[in-house]
Amino acid sequence: MSFPTGDELKAAIERGDVRPVLQAQTPYLHGIKIANGAACDKWAEKGEVMSSEFEAITSSELFFKQRGIRNAPFDLLRQPSFTPGLTTPRASFVVSQAAHARAGIPFKLPNGREVNVAGNARLIDLGEVELAFEEMRRALFPNAPSRLCCLWVAEANDAGKKHIIQMLAKGDADKMFVFPVIVVHERTPAKVETFWFNEYYATRDRSCIERYWAGEPRPDGEEPTWEILIEGKLFMIYNEDIEHVRTLAPNWPKP
């Protein structure tokens, strides 16, 4: 995989390899699991995706249907009746699964299949971890993107690609499609270190949550694992990536 620079993007635009609207902006990396049919279908439509609340504010039709999650009461977020939105991030997916597990009822996946999560202690715990991060974001960093309604990207380098594959597929690159994107954002992106999320999960030291939102680097000298939280829109850069994701999308017409 190449990570295009500004000059490389300009040249690619001239060749017609790149969507002209993007011009020479800073690229990031995004990834989806090949087996995630819903994500592949979403990208296949236009080669772009929007975070849930950004999608709602840019559509008069959706504005009155979308349920805001950034400021939703925590007791509501713990209820299985709460549906997080259109483009569901992993964090809000976990919170919703935890609510169903807590209530002892099945959880319906995007493909309509129901999964029995009743009493799943690990899911309930993960949901509480996400809500702890959301609680401190609201208290100390209210203008930061919320993990519950954002999109994730990584820096466009080998470390960023490795981090995406590790996060989503436990290091199995064959299960992933990682591609460069351009970001159009509503809020200032947050560059945060995944190390602090994992450290909180292991220790429950709440200072880790503050360090995460403050964007502090990891202290152990290991390779950085930065993640960048976006509330806005991501565009695929290369036309060939759009064509490739359409071959993966289960509901996209095949030649």
Side-chain angles (χ1 to χ4, degrees):
M1 163 178 282
S2 62
F3 307 114
T5 63
D7 289 340
E8 289 169 344
L9 276 179
K10 287 179 181 178
I13 290 168
E14 292 174 358
R15 294 194 302 269
D17 297 335
V18 176
R19 305 163 76 190
V21 68
L22 302 179
Q23 300 305 317
Q25 302 179 48
T26 302
Y28 294 93
L29 292 181
H30 185 69
I32 52 177
K33 293 183 76 171
I34 292 171
N36 187 341
C40 292
D41 281 337
K42 188 73 174 178
W43 275 104
E45 186 178 354
K46 294 181 180 179
E48 59 190 57
V49 297
M50 288 183 274
S51 60
S52 57
E53 297 203 356
F54 185 81
E55 188 168 1
I57 66 171
T58 57
S59 167
S60 57
E61 179 183 354
L62 295 174
F63 184 80
F64 296 103
K65 296 180 181 179
Q66 175 72 353
R67 301 180 69 178
I69 197 170
R70 282 185 59 87
N71 300 304
F74 284 99
D75 59 345
L76 180 60
L77 295 177
R78 289 185 171 92
Q79 298 300 316
S81 58
F82 183 82
T83 53
L86 303 167
T87 306
T88 306
R90 288 179 301 117
S92 60
F93 194 76
V94 166
V95 168
S96 185
Q97 283 185 313
H100 285 73
R102 198 180 294 110
I105 60 177
F107 178 78
K108 184 174 288 188
L109 296 171
N111 62 9
R113 184 167 65 90
E114 288 191 344
V115 179
N116 182 17
V117 297
N120 188 315
R122 181 176 179 274
L123 276 178
I124 294 171
D125 185 47
L126 282 171
E128 289 302 316
V129 168
E130 287 293 352
L131 292 178
F133 274 76
E134 177 65 6
E135 181 182 29
M136 189 166 292
R137 181 198 67 79
R138 294 183 187 186
L140 300 181
F141 303 90
N143 294 322
S146 169
R147 287 176 57 88
L148 302 184
C149 59
C150 73
L151 300 169
W152 269 263
V153 296
E155 294 179 317
N157 53 40
D158 289 328
K161 180 181 179 182
K162 178 181 176 181
H163 186 36
I164 289 173
I165 294 171
Q166 183 60 42
M167 286 182 69
L168 297 183
K170 298 182 179 178
D172 189 345
D174 291 338
K175 294 181 178 179
M176 292 295 301
F177 176 36
V178 180
F179 47 92
V181 294
I182 292 297
V183 173
V184 178
H185 53 81
E186 174 204 5
R187 299 181 184 277
T188 301
K191 182 179 177 181
V192 291
E193 174 54 76
T194 308
F195 170 87
W196 294 116
F197 183 90
N198 295 336
E199 190 71 4
Y200 174 75
Y201 184 78
T203 66
R204 304 306 158 103
D205 179 354
R206 288 184 63 83
S207 69
C208 295
I209 305 179
E210 186 170 355
R211 290 185 171 99
Y212 174 89
W213 286 117
E216 292 188 17
R218 62 188 301 162
D220 58 3
E222 296 295 324
E223 184 176 59
T225 49
W226 294 111
E227 57 189 43
I228 301 160
L229 312 184
I230 303 292
E231 284 191 43
K233 181 185 285 191
L234 305 182
F235 290 90
M236 280 182 168
I237 293 176
Y238 291 113
N239 292 319
E240 63 180 340
D241 287 339
I242 300 175
E243 294 306 315
H244 180 62
V245 81
R246 286 173 177 169
T247 68
L248 303 175
N251 294 311
W252 187 262
K254 302 300 188 288

